[in-house]
Amino acid sequence: MPDWTYHPLRGAAAAVLGERRSQRTALRLLASIGSRPAGARLIARGFGHRHPPKRLAGETAGVPVTVRLGISVPPALARETVRAMPPLGAGVVEVSPVSAADVETVREAAAGRSIPVVVRARDPETQAALKAHVDGFTGDDDPHVVRVSDPSVTAAAAALADPDTVVLARPEVLVEAGPGWFARVTEAATPTAPAPRLRDLGRDPRRWPAWWWALLVGLGMTGAGLGAAVITLGPVLLWYDRDYLGMTLHELHDANHHLVHFLQHDRITMAGTMVAIGALYTGLAVGGIRRGWPWAREVYLISGAIGFPTLFYFLATGFVEPLHTATAVVLFPMYLAAVRRTPHAPRWRLAPEGPEPERRRALVGQLLLIVTGAGLFAGGAVISVVGLTGVFVPSDLTFLGTSTPMLEAVNPRLVPFVAHDRAGFGGALMSAAVAITLLSAWGWRRGESWVFWTLTAAAAAGFLPAVVVHGAIHYTDFLHLAPVYFGIALTGTGLLLARPYLCAEVSAASSG
């Protein structure tokens, strides 16, 4: 479990299972998942993609380690710890202190290890019995091994500045700070450089960096969404819409006096979602990819990989919208340029540690945003399926005062026309939702104000038009709008809880 579930749900788990039992259960769960290659990758990605710099590599007790950061545990916790810690970002596990009675326990724990296991033995006999089963031995007087009981990220990162020092956290550190502690220390110990500026771009498009192409896609999506809103609030139908339907706006109104408003309601929510995607991509480009966060590119990549293929929904609906197609054709090459693999030099600036209660409140907010994003994704998937199959839900037909066969009798192309709008909105909502979910899961760091403002702008663009247009056309069925109201409540609460943490001031000295 990442910090955003560990801390918010920790009290409830302790109340149900007891504090010690809940801690052991969490460790065993991580060990069970982390001991499998696929599970280890899942945990590592879920925790936000640790990429320790090469300068954090080194050795301890003569054993090479990829990162000079680990944990020191008693023999009773060794087996689960050896399997659970590598996906969290630990580079070494020390078992300490070990006596002759613990030899078999340590042997079992070290079997099948994926990171070095070192031992602090009580006596030479114990050390000799374990020599063939572990990677090395540490001592009480080793000046290069720092064992910490304080969960301070700043102190641990400062200790790692010495290339000969290995920092080992005691179990109480992770109990207090949460399993994301290793990743936070690694990021704090990573040297960074100033982020590139617009003036550094140059005039040759072949040399433009990935973040600039990502920004262009974000601005393009925002412009396309605003353009769609203007069309929806103005003529509603363009020439190709009228040609496909063989009907004018007045004829649609005469066929059903709610139909034009229904089309507007579908299209304005789609336009708002497009603007939300534009806001998310703009934030990821400027705040994330430009500043070297490796996860930002992956958020952008996954979101686009879901959004762009929904263009082919026309294969099911039969209606090809020229402007939609032209927008995708223009933006897709830019999207590919934005996600090409390029070196991501760390260019972020982290805020110093703040009050722990502030971080705990922000983690609750983070959980609420992730739940909202997951709910939006599920909603988008349902809307896509409905749009490609039944097209209308019962409340739609109640609002229209008609039935699907009656609409088909008016014009056999009318239902496929509506289906195109509805399915397209579902695809766009899934694309936005996955960006919201992953940005919230991976981007929550003190001082990253761009994350707060990106999510705020996306929420405003997505939720407000949906609420306003439903009220304007008097489509106010509560059950139909309940997911929107619930999403607004969760998002607003989450952002309010997280704002002091995300928008904390970043001093010049914290740039690494």
Side-chain angles (χ1 to χ4, degrees):
M1 57 293 301
D3 285 357
W4 48 267
T5 58
Y6 174 77
H7 284 298
L9 304 180
R10 177 181 171 188
V16 173
L17 300 175
E19 186 173 359
R20 294 291 296 175
R21 183 178 295 177
S22 66
Q23 291 169 3
R24 290 301 296 264
T25 300
L27 181 61
R28 286 169 182 158
L29 178 62
L30 283 172
S32 176
I33 300 173
S35 61
R36 297 167 173 82
R41 287 193 295 270
L42 177 64
I43 292 175
R45 289 184 178 275
F47 274 70
H49 304 266
R50 278 153 311 286
H51 294 268
K54 293 181 179 179
R55 70 182 294 272
L56 291 186
E59 64 175 44
T60 181
V63 181
V65 294
T66 57
V67 57
R68 293 176 284 107
L69 186 64
I71 186 168
S72 179
V73 295
L77 297 178
R79 187 176 187 277
E80 289 87 358
T81 300
V82 168
R83 287 154 180 77
M85 293 302 110
L88 304 186
V92 61
V93 172
E94 179 192 63
V95 186
S96 168
V98 177
S99 62
D102 303 314
V103 168
E104 188 58 34
T105 299
V106 175
R107 285 176 179 173
E108 292 179 0
R113 60 193 178 276
S114 59
I115 59 174
V117 172
V118 296
V119 165
R120 184 156 61 101
R122 289 184 182 273
D123 51 66
E125 291 75 14
T126 300
Q127 182 168 322
L130 287 171
K131 186 174 182 180
H133 301 279
V134 299
D135 297 288
F137 297 90
T138 56
D140 294 324
D141 56 351
D142 189 341
H144 300 303
V145 177
V146 177
R147 299 175 181 87
V148 297
S149 301
D150 183 354
S152 170
V153 169
T154 303
L160 287 174
D162 182 349
D164 295 324
T165 296
V166 174
V167 175
L168 301 176
R170 299 189 188 277
E172 56 266 30
V173 170
L174 293 194
V175 170
E176 179 63 23
W181 185 81
F182 293 113
R184 293 165 58 209
V185 172
T186 298
E187 289 175 359
T190 301
T192 66
R197 299 164 297 179
L198 282 176
R199 69 181 67 176
D200 301 326
L201 288 176
R203 297 183 179 181
D204 186 353
R206 294 172 298 178
R207 298 183 181 275
W208 285 352
W211 71 267
W212 176 246
W213 291 110
L215 174 60
L216 291 179
V217 175
L219 296 177
M221 286 294 297
T222 301
L226 293 174
V230 169
I231 294 170
T232 303
L233 297 175
V236 184
L237 300 181
L238 293 179
W239 74 93
Y240 53 79
D241 297 320
R242 295 191 295 269
D243 290 344
Y244 176 78
L245 289 172
M247 298 177 71
T248 66
L249 200 63
H250 294 296
E251 289 172 332
L252 285 176
H253 185 77
D254 291 340
N256 184 304
H257 64 283
H258 287 304
L259 190 53
V260 174
H261 286 161
F262 187 81
L263 292 175
Q264 286 181 308
H265 126 277
D266 263 358
R267 292 190 164 193
I268 203 68
T269 49
M270 173 66 168
T273 304
M274 291 173 67
V275 174
I277 293 173
L280 290 163
Y281 287 5
T282 299
L284 285 167
V286 177
I289 300 173
R290 181 178 70 97
R291 295 168 63 227
W293 287 114
W295 52 263
R297 171 192 173 273
E298 299 198 16
V299 175
Y300 186 92
L301 171 64
I302 296 170
S303 175
I306 291 173
F308 278 106
T310 61
L311 172 68
F312 295 100
Y313 279 171
F314 78 85
L315 295 174
T317 65
F319 175 50
V320 181
E321 188 177 17
L323 280 184
H324 185 179
T325 304
T327 300
V329 168
V330 170
L331 295 182
F332 187 65
M334 299 182 188
Y335 165 78
L336 292 179
V339 298
R340 68 182 188 273
R341 289 193 176 276
T342 55
H344 291 281
R347 298 179 182 277
W348 59 74
R349 293 175 61 193
L350 294 177
E353 287 184 277
E356 184 62 13
E358 175 186 87
R359 186 176 81 93
R360 300 286 179 88
R361 288 191 294 270
L363 290 173
V364 176
Q366 183 180 17
L367 177 60
L368 294 179
L369 263 295
I370 292 170
V371 169
T372 300
L376 290 173
F377 185 85
V382 170
I383 292 170
S384 292
V385 171
V386 170
L388 296 173
T389 54
V391 183
F392 300 102
V393 295
S395 60
D396 296 333
L397 297 174
T398 300
F399 171 74
L400 290 169
T402 187
S403 65
T404 302
M406 291 175 65
L407 291 173
E408 290 173 337
V410 170
N411 185 334
R413 288 188 167 185
L414 191 54
V415 173
F417 183 78
V418 175
H420 170 272
D421 287 350
R422 178 137 300 187
F425 167 57
L429 186 58
M430 287 193 294
S431 179
V434 76
I436 291 168
T437 304
L438 297 181
L439 174 58
S440 300
W442 296 339
W444 230 247
R445 290 163 180 79
R446 192 167 191 270
E448 295 294 282
S449 59
W450 69 271
V451 173
F452 174 85
W453 292 113
T454 296
L455 291 171
T456 299
F463 286 127
L464 292 182
V467 172
V468 171
V469 73
H470 279 85
I473 68 173
H474 305 293
Y475 186 179
T476 54
D477 182 88
F478 179 77
L479 290 179
H480 181 75
L481 288 171
V484 178
Y485 298 145
F486 190 57
I488 291 173
L490 287 181
T491 302
T493 304
L495 290 173
L496 285 174
L497 288 172
R499 188 180 188 280
Y501 178 78
L502 293 176
C503 296
E505 184 178 353
V506 180
S507 64
S510 65
S511 61

